[in-house]
Amino acid sequence: MCVDTNYYDTFNRENVTLVNVRETPIEAITPRGLRTRGAEYRLDAIVFAIGFDAMTGALLNIDIRGRCGERLQRKWAAGPRTYLGLAIAGFPNLFTITGPGSPSVLSNMIVSIEQHVEWITGCIAYLREHGRECIEAAAKAEETWVTHVNEVGNATLYPRANSWYMGANIPGKPRIFMPYIGGVGSYRLKCDEVAANGYEGFYMTASQQGVGPQAETG
């Protein structure tokens, strides 16, 4: 449900019309407004809302590179892969707040952002206390988490819909159910458990050069 000031009052005004542009696509901008396949509409102004690349677009539009110069675009070519939606194997010292693989858009975003920021703050404090400068998600931990995210997602009807949850609104985007639907409470318990176990599933080292499968674990 849309929560905004006077949203429904505005929507229900007599001069507001909802048009399904899939059934009657926009054909042209005219001197008086806009013409679809079904009719022409007189308009004073046009605001182009062309959709959004949810959950991954903001990151993939940045040229983020990990160890050995690996690009995030290549890492995620078949769909996003993260550990807890917080970190990515091969990309040391990179934290993703409410990223794919976390409850993210399926939760109260403000609360989920706070939970992630608090977890990351605690992680950085842990690194400093233990003389570590670098942290990276282990590939095995990432794979296990991605498998779990897919399992709980496939137990629902979400993957059957052509929605932005699946990336269906972006031509050519991999059809992957991106959020974690296992519950905000259980997700938070998992994050707390990982931290309590010395950041289980992460590699930590005193310098960036040593990060990777051969590095010291937390």
Side-chain angles (χ1 to χ4, degrees), residues 192-213:
D192 291 345
E193 177 185 325
V194 167
N197 291 333
Y199 295 90
E200 183 179 23
F202 287 91
Y203 297 116
M204 288 181 281
T205 183
S207 66
Q208 291 196 32
Q209 286 76 16
V211 175

mmCIF file of all heavy atoms in Angstrom, residues 192-213:
data_model
loop_
_atom_site.group_PDB
_atom_site.id
_atom_site.type_symbol
_atom_site.label_atom_id
_atom_site.label_comp_id
_atom_site.label_asym_id
_atom_site.label_seq_id
_atom_site.Cartn_x
_atom_site.Cartn_y
_atom_site.Cartn_z
ATOM 1 N N ASP A 192 23.454 -12.091 14.020
ATOM 2 C CA ASP A 192 24.004 -12.028 15.391
ATOM 3 C C ASP A 192 24.821 -13.270 15.700
ATOM 4 O O ASP A 192 25.861 -13.195 16.371
ATOM 5 C CB ASP A 192 22.863 -11.883 16.406
ATOM 6 C CG ASP A 192 22.176 -10.527 16.328
ATOM 7 O OD1 ASP A 192 22.745 -9.607 15.705
ATOM 8 O OD2 ASP A 192 21.066 -10.397 16.888
ATOM 9 N N GLU A 193 24.370 -14.422 15.210
ATOM 10 C CA GLU A 193 25.104 -15.673 15.433
ATOM 11 C C GLU A 193 26.459 -15.633 14.733
ATOM 12 O O GLU A 193 27.477 -16.059 15.311
ATOM 13 C CB GLU A 193 24.264 -16.838 14.889
ATOM 14 C CG GLU A 193 24.938 -18.199 14.991
ATOM 15 C CD GLU A 193 24.124 -19.281 14.325
ATOM 16 O OE1 GLU A 193 22.868 -19.218 14.364
ATOM 17 O OE2 GLU A 193 24.736 -20.206 13.742
ATOM 18 N N VAL A 194 26.482 -15.139 13.516
ATOM 19 C CA VAL A 194 27.740 -15.026 12.773
ATOM 20 C C VAL A 194 28.720 -14.137 13.530
ATOM 21 O O VAL A 194 29.909 -14.469 13.664
ATOM 22 C CB VAL A 194 27.475 -14.455 11.357
ATOM 23 C CG1 VAL A 194 28.780 -14.019 10.687
ATOM 24 C CG2 VAL A 194 26.773 -15.495 10.508
ATOM 25 N N ALA A 195 28.242 -13.007 14.040
ATOM 26 C CA ALA A 195 29.109 -12.087 14.789
ATOM 27 C C ALA A 195 29.593 -12.718 16.091
ATOM 28 O O ALA A 195 30.772 -12.598 16.455
ATOM 29 C CB ALA A 195 28.361 -10.788 15.069
ATOM 30 N N ALA A 196 28.679 -13.396 16.800
ATOM 31 C CA ALA A 196 29.040 -14.015 18.084
ATOM 32 C C ALA A 196 30.082 -15.111 17.910
ATOM 33 O O ALA A 196 30.866 -15.382 18.836
ATOM 34 C CB ALA A 196 27.786 -14.575 18.750
ATOM 35 N N ASN A 197 30.122 -15.732 16.746
ATOM 36 C CA ASN A 197 31.095 -16.790 16.468
ATOM 37 C C ASN A 197 32.357 -16.250 15.796
ATOM 38 O O ASN A 197 33.029 -16.957 15.050
ATOM 39 C CB ASN A 197 30.461 -17.864 15.582
ATOM 40 C CG ASN A 197 29.402 -18.665 16.309
ATOM 41 O OD1 ASN A 197 29.443 -18.799 17.536
ATOM 42 N ND2 ASN A 197 28.437 -19.199 15.565
ATOM 43 N N GLY A 198 32.673 -14.990 16.089
ATOM 44 C CA GLY A 198 33.894 -14.401 15.545
ATOM 45 C C GLY A 198 33.808 -14.127 14.066
ATOM 46 O O GLY A 198 34.796 -14.252 13.337
ATOM 47 N N TYR A 199 32.609 -13.773 13.594
ATOM 48 C CA TYR A 199 32.347 -13.477 12.181
ATOM 49 C C TYR A 199 32.626 -14.704 11.317
ATOM 50 O O TYR A 199 33.416 -14.691 10.387
ATOM 51 C CB TYR A 199 33.098 -12.225 11.728
ATOM 52 C CG TYR A 199 32.559 -11.029 12.475
ATOM 53 C CD1 TYR A 199 33.116 -10.636 13.692
ATOM 54 C CD2 TYR A 199 31.434 -10.349 12.005
ATOM 55 C CE1 TYR A 199 32.574 -9.580 14.424
ATOM 56 C CE2 TYR A 199 30.897 -9.291 12.731
ATOM 57 C CZ TYR A 199 31.464 -8.918 13.931
ATOM 58 O OH TYR A 199 30.913 -7.897 14.658
ATOM 59 N N GLU A 200 31.901 -15.741 11.687
ATOM 60 C CA GLU A 200 31.964 -17.018 10.988
ATOM 61 C C GLU A 200 31.591 -16.831 9.518
ATOM 62 O O GLU A 200 30.640 -16.136 9.176
ATOM 63 C CB GLU A 200 30.979 -17.987 11.651
ATOM 64 C CG GLU A 200 30.970 -19.385 11.095
ATOM 65 C CD GLU A 200 29.989 -20.279 11.829
ATOM 66 O OE1 GLU A 200 29.042 -19.748 12.440
ATOM 67 O OE2 GLU A 200 30.186 -21.497 11.797
ATOM 68 N N GLY A 201 32.358 -17.468 8.648
ATOM 69 C CA GLY A 201 32.102 -17.352 7.220
ATOM 70 C C GLY A 201 32.876 -16.234 6.563
ATOM 71 O O GLY A 201 32.707 -15.977 5.364
ATOM 72 N N PHE A 202 33.724 -15.570 7.328
ATOM 73 C CA PHE A 202 34.563 -14.495 6.788
ATOM 74 C C PHE A 202 36.030 -14.832 6.982
ATOM 75 O O PHE A 202 36.414 -15.514 7.944
ATOM 76 C CB PHE A 202 34.276 -13.172 7.501
ATOM 77 C CG PHE A 202 32.962 -12.539 7.142
ATOM 78 C CD1 PHE A 202 31.826 -12.830 7.874
ATOM 79 C CD2 PHE A 202 32.869 -11.650 6.083
ATOM 80 C CE1 PHE A 202 30.609 -12.250 7.551
ATOM 81 C CE2 PHE A 202 31.659 -11.054 5.756
ATOM 82 C CZ PHE A 202 30.518 -11.355 6.496
ATOM 83 N N TYR A 203 36.867 -14.341 6.073
ATOM 84 C CA TYR A 203 38.315 -14.354 6.235
ATOM 85 C C TYR A 203 38.735 -12.982 6.746
ATOM 86 O O TYR A 203 38.232 -11.956 6.291
ATOM 87 C CB TYR A 203 39.022 -14.617 4.908
ATOM 88 C CG TYR A 203 38.717 -15.962 4.296
ATOM 89 C CD1 TYR A 203 38.054 -16.031 3.074
ATOM 90 C CD2 TYR A 203 39.103 -17.142 4.921
ATOM 91 C CE1 TYR A 203 37.772 -17.262 2.489
ATOM 92 C CE2 TYR A 203 38.825 -18.375 4.348
ATOM 93 C CZ TYR A 203 38.158 -18.430 3.132
ATOM 94 O OH TYR A 203 37.885 -19.642 2.569
ATOM 95 N N MET A 204 39.668 -12.970 7.702
ATOM 96 C CA MET A 204 40.201 -11.711 8.228
ATOM 97 C C MET A 204 41.708 -11.780 8.263
ATOM 98 O O MET A 204 42.289 -12.825 8.541
ATOM 99 C CB MET A 204 39.658 -11.441 9.631
ATOM 100 C CG MET A 204 38.188 -11.034 9.646
ATOM 101 S SD MET A 204 37.574 -10.706 11.307
ATOM 102 C CE MET A 204 37.309 -12.383 11.893
ATOM 103 N N THR A 205 42.346 -10.654 7.976
ATOM 104 C CA THR A 205 43.801 -10.607 7.967
ATOM 105 C C THR A 205 44.268 -9.217 8.367
ATOM 106 O O THR A 205 43.493 -8.261 8.379
ATOM 107 C CB THR A 205 44.346 -10.975 6.580
ATOM 108 O OG1 THR A 205 45.763 -10.997 6.608
ATOM 109 C CG2 THR A 205 43.880 -10.002 5.534
ATOM 110 N N ALA A 206 45.542 -9.120 8.687
ATOM 111 C CA ALA A 206 46.110 -7.834 9.112
ATOM 112 C C ALA A 206 46.378 -6.918 7.935
ATOM 113 O O ALA A 206 46.628 -5.727 8.116
ATOM 114 C CB ALA A 206 47.397 -8.068 9.906
ATOM 115 N N SER A 207 46.359 -7.457 6.707
ATOM 116 C CA SER A 207 46.572 -6.625 5.523
ATOM 117 C C SER A 207 45.731 -7.168 4.383
ATOM 118 O O SER A 207 45.353 -8.336 4.374
ATOM 119 C CB SER A 207 48.050 -6.606 5.123
ATOM 120 O OG SER A 207 48.454 -7.901 4.692
ATOM 121 N N GLN A 208 45.478 -6.343 3.385
ATOM 122 C CA GLN A 208 44.642 -6.764 2.264
ATOM 123 C C GLN A 208 45.316 -7.833 1.416
ATOM 124 O O GLN A 208 44.655 -8.653 0.799
ATOM 125 C CB GLN A 208 44.287 -5.560 1.392
ATOM 126 C CG GLN A 208 43.349 -4.577 2.066
ATOM 127 C CD GLN A 208 42.716 -3.637 1.071
ATOM 128 O OE1 GLN A 208 42.478 -4.004 -0.064
ATOM 129 N NE2 GLN A 208 42.450 -2.413 1.501
ATOM 130 N N GLN A 209 46.636 -7.848 1.398
ATOM 131 C CA GLN A 209 47.339 -8.791 0.539
ATOM 132 C C GLN A 209 47.054 -10.237 0.921
ATOM 133 O O GLN A 209 47.092 -11.133 0.091
ATOM 134 C CB GLN A 209 48.854 -8.543 0.600
ATOM 135 C CG GLN A 209 49.311 -7.299 -0.149
ATOM 136 C CD GLN A 209 49.003 -6.019 0.617
ATOM 137 O OE1 GLN A 209 48.717 -6.071 1.815
ATOM 138 N NE2 GLN A 209 49.046 -4.888 -0.067
ATOM 139 N N GLY A 210 46.747 -10.458 2.200
ATOM 140 C CA GLY A 210 46.585 -11.843 2.641
ATOM 141 C C GLY A 210 45.175 -12.351 2.610
ATOM 142 O O GLY A 210 44.924 -13.494 2.956
ATOM 143 N N VAL A 211 44.235 -11.527 2.202
ATOM 144 C CA VAL A 211 42.845 -11.952 2.243
ATOM 145 C C VAL A 211 42.577 -13.003 1.191
ATOM 146 O O VAL A 211 43.012 -12.906 0.061
ATOM 147 C CB VAL A 211 41.900 -10.758 2.048
ATOM 148 C CG1 VAL A 211 40.453 -11.212 1.956
ATOM 149 C CG2 VAL A 211 42.056 -9.791 3.198
ATOM 150 N N GLY A 212 41.828 -14.050 1.564
ATOM 151 C CA GLY A 212 41.497 -15.112 0.623
ATOM 152 C C GLY A 212 41.457 -16.442 1.346
ATOM 153 O O GLY A 212 41.597 -16.511 2.572
ATOM 154 N N PRO A 213 41.276 -17.528 0.622
ATOM 155 C CA PRO A 213 41.110 -18.832 1.243
ATOM 156 C C PRO A 213 42.267 -19.269 2.138
ATOM 157 O O PRO A 213 42.072 -20.080 3.025
ATOM 158 C CB PRO A 213 40.986 -19.776 0.025
ATOM 159 C CG PRO A 213 40.440 -18.901 -1.057
ATOM 160 C CD PRO A 213 41.069 -17.562 -0.823
#
